[in-house]
Amino acid sequence: MKKKLSINDIAKSLNVSKTTISFILNGKAQEMRIGEELVDRVLKYVNEVGFKPNSIAQSLRTGKSNTIGLMVEDISNPFFAKIARLIEDRAYQNGYKIIYCSTNNDTKKTKDLITMFRERHVDGYIIAPPEGIEEDIESLLKDNLPVVFFDRHLPKVITDYVEINNRFSTYNATSHLIGEGKKNIAFITFTSPQTQMQDRLKGYKNAMKESGLEPLVKEIVFNQNEDLIIKPITDFLTKHPDLDAVLFGTDHIGSCGLKVIKEMGIQIPSQLAIISFDDYDVFKLHSPPVTAIAQPIEKIAESVINVLLNKLNTPLLNQQPQFITLSTSLNIRGSSKS
Amino acid sequence: MKKKLSINDIAKSLNVSKTTISFILNGKAQEMRIGEELVDRVLKYVNEVGFKPNSIAQSLRTGKSNTIGLMVEDISNPFFAKIARLIEDRAYQNGYKIIYCSTNNDTKKTKDLITMFRERHVDGYIIAPPEGIEEDIESLLKDNLPVVFFDRHLPKVITDYVEINNRFSTYNATSHLIGEGKKNIAFITFTSPQTQMQDRLKGYKNAMKESGLEPLVKEIVFNQNEDLIIKPITDFLTKHPDLDAVLFGTDHIGSCGLKVIKEMGIQIPSQLAIISFDDYDVFKLHSPPVTAIAQPIEKIAESVINVLLNKLNTPLLNQQPQFITLSTSLNIRGSSKS
DNA sequence: ATGAAAGCGCTAACAT
DNA sequence: ATGTTAGCGCTTTCAT
């Protein structure tokens, strides 16, 4: 087994000081006026023996870890999985690694995870924040650690975020249903104080009120166990046979809703028109295909990582935080036509 | 801004040697026969001021990073996303962090990523390996770094792996179609030398041959761009109007196949019976619901992390590698009945 | 232009 | 039972 090389080994083999090696490796040869010939010789040798500086030692010395902490709600949710994938790609391209984790929307778990990330000295944080972690974030910001929120933000915390226009999205979707002649339109969503969910709720209510219709909201407690989502939806639909349309607040609720509707034998769209937030294969392939609010996933990921890299690269400039709001598109399909 | 505390600060404040602190913090107080009263005092103070040892320094010193490298094919694929989620949970429970990345089945990218993981001194590797990285893995193993494969393995590399019984799964699914009276059964899959895909192919062929039927295989080049999967499927189905059943090799091909079938207006199952590998909402909710081969995702994740933690905890015992093969279930639904 | 040396924070062998 | 000290591998200041 070959021993791992250190910068000292290189220095000895080449009869050069390790300082010089370090400078050359870090591109400071010019600055330090190191002979071009030496630079070549070192680079050639380093390459030959495949020496890589020990990044842990580098981290200890410089205080940078070249790591970004990514906290999503649930990595197995397609929305977050896709975002994570795109962020990962761009981060690696820029020499950053990603450490990720799922918060499960659990405040305590999230606090623990922030502590762990902190111990690991991650250079920057990308977070889809659950409620109740304001202090922890403030503490990060106080120590000059860059934090970018996405999907939602914490109203009391001033830091960069990337979101979509939730309020308009549900307003628009609801209006579409109203335009199709629907009157008894329910909104089924998760119970959540988070900004994105609150905004979706507001958009729905606004559209209903503007048209003089009575809002009917069913809130479901967030749970990993699908049965605990399906049950309340079933109860709700059973209790309100007079509904002519339903707007689902998230993709997860949407697909659970479809299961219930299938189970109950309700016809879409003749008996019930349907729209879901988020747009995935399950909606596109459904019969009839389901009208859905599509988030611009690539743009979200792109914006998030750009904002963070930007902050990482210019740490001294205490720039104004950026608040980015992106647009969704309403993909109208068979499930919402009358 | 409060300065980060170090073990030295603690030692000074308490008028105790930092060795003692270190021993106490690492649970070696008993072993070192340190006074119980002192232990309490130290623990209390450490807790009070919120001191956490710098894990980077720990890593540098001990050579352990408490990090597991997880390399999946594509984190935005639900199969891998769910596995990742479960592995993440168990890893965090055991004090390990996960650094993950998507290989995209790209040999070169994977080699680079292994190098990166290595530089980061990850303690163990969980990999869904693409072909062509045999040497890199051998090199890891030579240096005593634990590697666990899942979803597939590399025949030339002897290390632990967790898989499903692919051959039987497709054999069984094909047999089911044959039992339903189908004769012209095609298998649409990705072109891949990987063991899981080869085994799926073999299972299909075996079933066909045993029944004296002619296998018809359409191989599609793996691509991120969905259009490049849909196009060849469309061409294939157009060219073979006499087919009465199709078995799809993966969930991704399966959902693309459904799109094609929908587009072409083919009736399931009257004109064409369908079975897909992997079982997700998109298949369950389809009309008619799609017969699917379900992988035991929880068991896979559980086995993988158990095998790895086991190796991590008993590094000296150069145990026999474990080869775990789990069973799938064939969930028969409307799409495959005659 | 190059080298010596300090030190990032921690662990553990060794000394007492 | 507790303290002293030598590094882990690297960067960077300061001296030459």
Side-chain angles (χ1 to χ4, degrees):
Chain A
M1 193 191 314
K2 64 188 166 194
K3 247 224 157 78
K4 202 81 170 111
L5 291 167
S6 87
I7 199 172
N8 263 319
D9 303 324
I10 308 292
K12 263 173 212 153
S13 305
L14 252 37
N15 260 320
V16 179
S17 150
K18 67 173 176 175
T19 311
T20 310
I21 310 279
S22 175
F23 282 146
I24 292 175
L25 256 31
N26 291 306
K28 296 190 179 163
Q30 288 272 23
E31 195 179 320
M32 292 297 155
R33 304 191 211 173
I34 294 170
E36 202 172 300
E37 160 217 39
L38 213 203
V39 173
D40 287 349
R41 197 155 60 90
V42 170
L43 253 29
K44 184 158 171 285
Y45 182 74
V46 161
N47 210 348
E48 203 169 279
V49 299
F51 166 72
K52 302 269 185 189
N54 179 326
S55 60
I56 293 184
Q58 278 177 320
S59 289
L60 181 59
R61 181 60 231 240
T62 61
K64 312 212 85 255
S65 64
N66 288 317
T67 304
I68 292 170
L70 172 60
M71 312 182 73
V72 299
E73 182 176 301
D74 176 3
I75 193 68
S76 71
N77 172 309
F79 171 71
F80 290 111
K82 284 187 180 158
I83 298 261
R85 175 72 156 91
L86 294 164
I87 287 179
E88 173 202 330
D89 280 347
R90 288 270 279 121
Y92 275 94
Q93 280 166 23
N94 285 273
Y96 284 95
K97 284 92 200 159
I98 298 280
I99 302 190
Y100 81 98
C101 59
S102 303
T103 65
N104 204 18
N105 265 343
D106 178 326
T107 304
K108 170 148 183 11
K109 185 181 178 197
T110 307
K111 282 167 176 274
D112 289 350
L113 291 169
I114 290 176
T115 304
M116 287 207 318
F117 277 8
R118 195 145 193 188
E119 281 172 42
R120 299 234 113 206
H121 295 240
V122 306
D123 295 332
Y125 296 74
I126 298 175
I127 307 181
E131 58 277 13
I133 60 165
E134 285 80 0
E135 283 176 22
D136 310 76
I137 303 293
E138 289 291 6
S139 158
L140 294 177
L141 294 175
K142 202 172 291 166
D143 291 351
N144 244 323
L145 292 164
V147 178
V148 179
F149 288 150
F150 76 102
D151 189 53
R152 60 197 87 162
H153 67 276
L154 301 176
K156 288 180 197 146
V157 179
I158 298 176
T159 190
D160 307 61
Y161 64 74
V162 177
E163 296 183 333
I164 52 163
N165 191 335
N166 286 288
R167 187 128 40 118
F168 175 76
S169 300
T170 46
Y171 174 88
N172 189 35
T174 309
S175 299
H176 162 67
L177 289 170
I178 296 170
E180 293 289 322
K182 307 303 175 193
K183 305 256 182 254
N184 297 314
I185 307 170
F187 181 51
I188 305 187
T189 184
F190 282 125
T191 311
S192 168
Q194 293 171 5
T195 55
Q196 86 285 17
M197 299 315 289
Q198 287 297 315
D199 284 351
R200 291 177 193 183
L201 182 57
K202 282 180 200 151
Y204 159 77
K205 282 186 177 168
N206 286 349
M208 293 298 278
K209 281 177 191 157
E210 270 187 31
S211 299
L213 297 172
E214 194 61 33
L216 178 58
V217 175
K218 172 63 185 173
E219 294 195 341
I220 294 171
V221 175
F222 183 87
N223 199 292
Q224 286 294 111
N225 182 350
E226 207 158 81
D227 290 337
L228 295 183
I229 298 173
I230 288 186
K231 180 71 166 49
I233 297 179
T234 308
D235 293 347
F236 178 77
L237 291 185
T238 308
K239 194 174 154 193
H240 295 280
D242 50 329
L243 288 175
D244 54 16
V246 175
L247 174 59
F248 294 108
T250 77
D251 59 323
H252 196 193
I253 296 195
S255 57
C256 288
L258 287 178
K259 285 181 189 168
V260 171
I261 288 166
K262 181 167 199 158
E263 186 65 33
M264 292 177 67
I266 298 172
Q267 293 303 312
I268 302 173
S270 57
Q271 292 178 273
L272 196 66
I274 296 288
I275 298 185
S276 180
F277 219 101
D278 297 317
D279 195 7
Y280 301 111
D281 278 353
V282 65
F283 299 135
K284 293 176 194 158
L285 282 170
H286 194 266
S287 300
V290 177
T291 298
I293 297 164
Q295 298 200 45
I297 294 189
E298 288 80 9
K299 271 191 200 159
I300 295 173
E302 183 79 3
S303 304
V304 165
I305 192 76
N306 279 346
V307 169
L308 185 59
L309 288 175
N310 191 20
K311 298 186 81 160
L312 249 16
N313 293 333
T314 56
L316 298 181
L317 291 160
N318 224 328
Q319 315 134 298
Q320 287 300 310
Q322 294 185 61
F323 308 122
I324 298 178
T325 303
L326 301 168
S327 301
T328 58
S329 58
L330 180 65
N331 295 330
I332 297 175
R333 307 201 179 96
S335 74
S336 64
K337 293 181 185 148
S338 17
Chain B
M1 190 190 317
K2 62 188 169 194
K3 246 219 158 84
K4 202 83 170 107
L5 291 168
S6 86
I7 198 172
N8 262 319
D9 301 325
I10 307 292
K12 262 174 214 154
S13 305
L14 253 37
N15 262 320
V16 178
S17 150
K18 67 173 176 175
T19 310
T20 310
I21 310 276
S22 174
F23 282 145
I24 293 175
L25 256 32
N26 291 308
K28 297 190 180 163
Q30 287 274 22
E31 193 179 324
M32 292 298 155
R33 303 191 211 174
I34 294 171
E36 202 171 300
E37 158 217 40
L38 215 202
V39 172
D40 286 349
R41 197 154 60 91
V42 169
L43 253 27
K44 181 155 174 287
Y45 182 73
V46 160
N47 211 348
E48 202 168 280
V49 298
F51 166 73
K52 301 270 184 187
N54 179 326
S55 60
I56 294 186
Q58 279 178 319
S59 289
L60 181 59
R61 182 60 232 240
T62 60
K64 311 212 85 256
S65 65
N66 289 317
T67 304
I68 292 170
L70 172 61
M71 311 181 72
V72 300
E73 183 176 300
D74 177 3
I75 193 68
S76 70
N77 172 309
F79 171 71
F80 290 110
K82 284 188 179 156
I83 297 261
R85 175 72 156 92
L86 294 164
I87 288 180
E88 173 203 329
D89 280 346
R90 288 270 279 124
Y92 274 94
Q93 278 166 23
N94 285 273
Y96 284 95
K97 284 91 199 159
I98 298 280
I99 303 190
Y100 81 98
C101 60
S102 304
T103 65
N104 203 19
N105 265 344
D106 177 327
T107 304
K108 173 153 181 5
K109 187 182 177 197
T110 306
K111 282 167 175 275
D112 288 349
L113 290 169
I114 290 177
T115 304
M116 285 204 324
F117 277 9
R118 196 146 192 186
E119 283 172 41
R120 298 237 113 205
H121 296 238
V122 306
D123 295 332
Y125 295 75
I126 298 175
I127 307 181
E131 58 276 13
I133 60 164
E134 285 80 0
E135 284 175 22
D136 309 75
I137 302 294
E138 289 291 7
S139 158
L140 293 177
L141 294 175
K142 203 172 290 166
D143 291 350
N144 245 321
L145 292 164
V147 178
V148 178
F149 289 150
F150 76 101
D151 188 53
R152 60 196 89 165
H153 67 276
L154 301 175
K156 288 179 196 147
V157 178
I158 298 175
T159 190
D160 308 60
Y161 64 75
V162 177
E163 295 183 332
I164 51 162
N165 191 336
N166 286 289
R167 188 129 38 118
F168 175 76
S169 300
T170 45
Y171 174 89
N172 189 35
T174 309
S175 301
H176 164 67
L177 289 170
I178 295 170
E180 292 290 322
K182 307 302 174 192
K183 305 256 183 253
N184 297 314
I185 306 169
F187 181 52
I188 305 187
T189 184
F190 282 126
T191 311
S192 168
Q194 293 171 6
T195 55
Q196 86 284 20
M197 299 315 289
Q198 287 298 314
D199 284 351
R200 292 177 194 183
L201 182 57
K202 282 180 200 149
Y204 160 77
K205 282 188 177 168
N206 286 351
M208 293 297 277
K209 280 178 191 155
E210 270 186 31
S211 299
L213 297 172
E214 194 61 31
L216 177 59
V217 176
K218 172 62 186 174
E219 292 195 342
I220 294 171
V221 175
F222 182 85
N223 199 291
Q224 286 295 110
N225 181 347
E226 207 159 80
D227 291 336
L228 296 182
I229 298 173
I230 289 186
K231 180 72 165 53
I233 297 179
T234 308
D235 293 348
F236 178 77
L237 292 185
T238 307
K239 195 174 155 194
H240 295 279
D242 50 330
L243 289 175
D244 54 16
V246 175
L247 175 59
F248 294 109
T250 76
D251 60 323
H252 196 191
I253 295 194
S255 58
C256 288
L258 287 178
K259 285 181 189 168
V260 171
I261 288 165
K262 180 166 200 159
E263 185 65 34
M264 292 176 68
I266 298 172
Q267 293 303 313
I268 302 173
S270 58
Q271 289 178 277
L272 195 66
I274 297 289
I275 298 183
S276 180
F277 219 101
D278 297 316
D279 195 8
Y280 300 112
D281 278 352
V282 65
F283 300 134
K284 292 176 195 157
L285 281 171
H286 194 267
S287 300
V290 177
T291 299
I293 298 164
Q295 298 200 44
I297 293 189
E298 288 79 10
K299 271 193 199 158
I300 295 173
E302 184 77 3
S303 305
V304 165
I305 193 76
N306 279 346
V307 170
L308 184 59
L309 288 175
N310 191 19
K311 299 186 82 162
L312 249 16
N313 292 334
T314 54
L316 297 181
L317 291 161
N318 222 328
Q319 316 132 298
Q320 288 300 312
Q322 295 185 60
F323 308 121
I324 298 178
T325 303
L326 301 168
S327 301
T328 58
S329 58
L330 180 65
N331 295 331
I332 297 174
R333 306 200 180 95
S335 74
S336 65
K337 296 184 184 145
S338 16

